[in-house]
Amino acid sequence: MIKDRGTFGSKLGIILATAGSAIGLGNIWRFPFMTGHNGGAAFIIIYLVCVMMLGVPGMIAEFVVGRHSSSNAARAYSVIGNSKRWGLVGVLGILTSTIILGFYAVVAGWCVHYLFVSVSGQLAGTPEEVSHYFTTFSSSALQPALFGIVIILATHLVVVRGIRSGIERASKFLMPLLFLLLLVIVVASCLLPGAWRGVEFLLKPDFSKVTASVFLEALGQAFFSLSLGTACLCTFASYFGRTVNLGRSALQIALLDTLIAILAGLMIFPAAFSAGISPDAGPSLIFITLPNVFQQAFSAMPVVGYVISILFYALLSLAALTSTISMHEIGTAFFHEELHISRRGGAWILTAITSVICVLCSLSVGRPDIFGLFGMALLDFCDMLTAQYLLPVGSLLTCILVGWIAEHKTVRGEFTNGDTLPGRFFHLWLLCVKYICPACILLIFLHQLGVI
Ligand code: TRP
């Protein structure tokens, strides 16, 4: 065990910091366009099932791994698996989260840029102008990459300060602010004329759009949104105190995360329907569709539209920052502890690696022919590779480790805090981790590979 590595100061701090990791662009950017694309309420129902049946048990499994050894992910996996080979799963997680941070910073950088241009009023214009603005900006060479690096440096600044005075303090301030901003925009959006059709879209399921790939997307979205499968939760849990109830915390965090995703839907769809704009715009939804929505929906009150659009991009930037902090911490803890260098040194290594990925991903938007892989821009490739393959693989291996390989006594001890908690759901949880989660993940994989 590594001494003096710091812990979170309070249970509220734990919930807010971990929820801060979970709540991010996944909720506010990815969830709405996935929902819009896959049939609204029907997708949400499948998503909820994925969160409860696979997400929450998977989160608890990662918590068990992390808190047991109180060390970075690579070491945590090898300690509980009692072999260096299991440590490779931790290393895979660290690699995955580093790739995610690289491309996530690009999108987060777009958000910060949009925050600036919404303040200066440059986002106003006809729908064609707004769309043209986004395409020109995102595919230009220098500026978007710089904004991405700014996000990585801001993350770096929080992470080097450590767990309690960096990550926990930032989360305690940022999370309530984020929630407040979101509520203000939801109320404004739902008060617009014709907003109810957006609400209906979110609540009334249309199962005709549900295909097998919708399940795959819902699963990938659930993993991404809960920060699962990349050793992120494991790293955070390594800073949890011994009295934290892992099951309850996982449930609380998953509920908060889902609440925010649905609120994000309630913010975007009512305004989109009210302005008569199609909600299935894909990834460009928040950068092309929404500026138009804000302008048109609030055309009677342009000042409100102006303020709402500033609040919205501020919200996105904050949500992104609380998530990038968690991704950064995974690698920082690893380099710091395994290379026996200072935390600051570890953080710099991670900042350097992710900045390179960020620049390459950013350049790939304008020149997918040069910065591409398998016919895709690097940015899309990284998103697909991590959300659809690496996250489920990481979770699958974690479930196998916790369900089948780790000592039963150890696992039970972590779940029940050394038998001080009743552990009523222990067997149900173990059933999920041993059979249900691995089976579902495998089935979805086989389907994707065309085997079944
Ligand atoms: N969950 C975050 C979101 O919804 C993204 C995220 C943060 C993440 N840390 C992660 C995703 C680790 C995968 C792994 O935006």
Side-chain angles (χ1 to χ4, degrees):
M1 198 172 306
I2 295 156
K3 287 212 184 93
D4 299 331
R5 58 195 298 281
T7 52
F8 284 108
S10 67
K11 292 194 180 150
L12 180 68
I14 287 178
I15 299 291
L16 290 182
T18 319
S21 158
I23 296 166
L25 297 177
N27 305 59
I28 303 173
W29 167 62
R30 217 167 178 278
F31 181 81
F33 81 71
M34 285 269 162
T35 306
H37 204 66
N38 290 314
F43 175 80
I44 297 185
I45 293 173
I46 298 170
Y47 175 76
L48 289 178
V49 173
C50 286
V51 167
M52 293 311 289
M53 263 179 52
L54 308 171
V56 173
M59 288 174 83
I60 301 175
E62 271 198 35
F63 283 169
V64 166
V65 175
R67 193 179 59 178
H68 176 61
S69 69
S70 299
S71 51
N72 69 80
R75 197 173 302 188
Y77 274 83
S78 61
V79 168
I80 202 165
N82 206 6
S83 125
K84 278 238 173 331
R85 268 202 225 140
W86 279 106
L88 292 178
V89 180
V91 174
L92 178 75
I94 295 164
L95 188 76
T96 311
S97 53
T98 308
I99 299 177
I100 297 181
L101 178 52
F103 79 80
Y104 198 91
V106 176
V107 184
W110 295 349
C111 299
V112 177
H113 174 84
Y114 266 60
L115 173 61
F116 284 118
V117 288
S118 51
V119 171
S120 68
Q122 269 167 279
L123 271 188
T126 62
E128 290 72 36
E129 281 165 355
V130 171
S131 158
H132 183 246
Y133 183 84
F134 176 69
T135 326
T136 319
F137 162 72
S138 63
S139 53
S140 62
L142 210 59
Q143 234 192 357
L146 281 181
F147 275 99
I149 290 182
V150 166
I151 281 278
I152 295 179
L153 288 178
T155 307
H156 178 100
L157 281 183
V158 174
V159 171
V160 286
R161 307 189 76 136
I163 299 304
R164 227 178 261 200
S165 49
I167 299 181
E168 184 169 354
R169 224 165 79 203
S171 309
K172 277 188 169 163
F173 168 68
L174 295 176
M175 294 310 286
L177 184 62
L178 191 139
F179 194 66
L180 198 75
L181 286 181
L182 186 59
L183 277 187
V184 172
I185 310 178
V186 168
V187 171
S189 170
C190 287
L191 287 178
L192 289 166
W196 60 269
R197 273 184 296 131
V199 180
E200 192 181 57
F201 178 75
L202 278 180
L203 299 180
K204 217 163 128 192
D206 166 13
F207 285 101
S208 66
K209 284 207 178 150
V210 174
T211 57
S213 68
V214 173
F215 282 89
L216 182 72
E217 295 208 333
L219 181 75
Q221 173 62 22
F223 283 170
F224 186 84
S225 189
L226 295 172
S227 310
L228 255 178
T230 67
C232 174
L233 300 172
C234 158
T235 305
F236 267 30
S238 71
Y239 305 112
F240 287 4
R242 294 276 147 204
T243 56
V244 173
N245 182 335
L246 299 184
R248 191 196 292 157
S249 308
L251 194 64
Q252 285 169 341
I253 293 158
L255 288 177
L256 268 178
D257 186 65
T258 309
L259 175 75
I260 300 284
I262 292 180
L263 280 177
L266 275 178
M267 155 174 86
I268 289 171
F269 293 113
F273 276 84
S274 166
I277 289 175
S278 159
D280 59 356
S284 61
L285 180 75
I286 59 172
F287 299 107
I288 297 180
T289 314
L290 279 186
N292 286 322
V293 166
F294 291 140
Q295 269 187 61
Q296 292 178 28
F298 297 98
S299 56
M301 307 163 279
V303 179
V304 180
Y306 173 77
V307 173
I308 292 282
S309 109
I310 295 175
L311 293 183
F312 176 76
Y313 291 107
L315 170 75
L316 275 174
S317 307
L318 292 185
L321 185 64
T322 55
S323 295
T324 51
I325 290 171
S326 74
M327 296 174 210
H328 201 290
E329 174 61 30
I330 308 171
T332 299
F334 172 73
F335 288 123
H336 164 48
E337 291 170 7
E338 296 305 314
L339 300 183
H340 306 289
I341 52 177
S342 66
R343 222 183 129 72
R344 189 172 288 276
W348 272 118
I349 297 183
L350 206 82
T351 297
I353 300 175
T354 47
S355 298
V356 173
I357 303 178
C358 168
V359 171
L360 293 178
C361 282
S362 181
L363 291 173
S364 78
V365 179
R367 294 303 302 267
D369 50 329
I370 305 176
F371 303 97
L373 272 179
F374 302 106
M376 274 185 242
L378 198 59
L379 180 74
D380 300 322
F381 175 77
C382 290
D383 180 40
M384 190 272 305
L385 175 74
T386 49
Q388 297 196 11
Y389 293 93
L390 297 180
L391 302 190
V393 168
S395 288
L396 178 67
L397 293 173
T398 307
C399 288
I400 293 175
L401 173 63
V402 173
W404 297 90
I405 311 286
E407 255 187 72
H408 185 81
K409 209 172 77 209
T410 308
V411 173
R412 197 188 152 83
E414 286 300 332
F415 192 93
T416 59
N417 291 348
D419 283 326
T420 56
L421 297 172
R424 251 173 274 131
F425 296 107
F426 178 68
H427 290 287
L428 181 63
W429 168 70
L430 203 59
L431 184 79
C432 285
V433 171
K434 265 183 131 151
Y435 302 101
I436 302 180
C437 299
C440 288
I441 299 173
L442 269 180
L443 270 181
I444 290 177
F445 260 132
L446 292 180
H447 175 79
Q448 200 182 17
L449 297 175
V451 182
I452 50 169

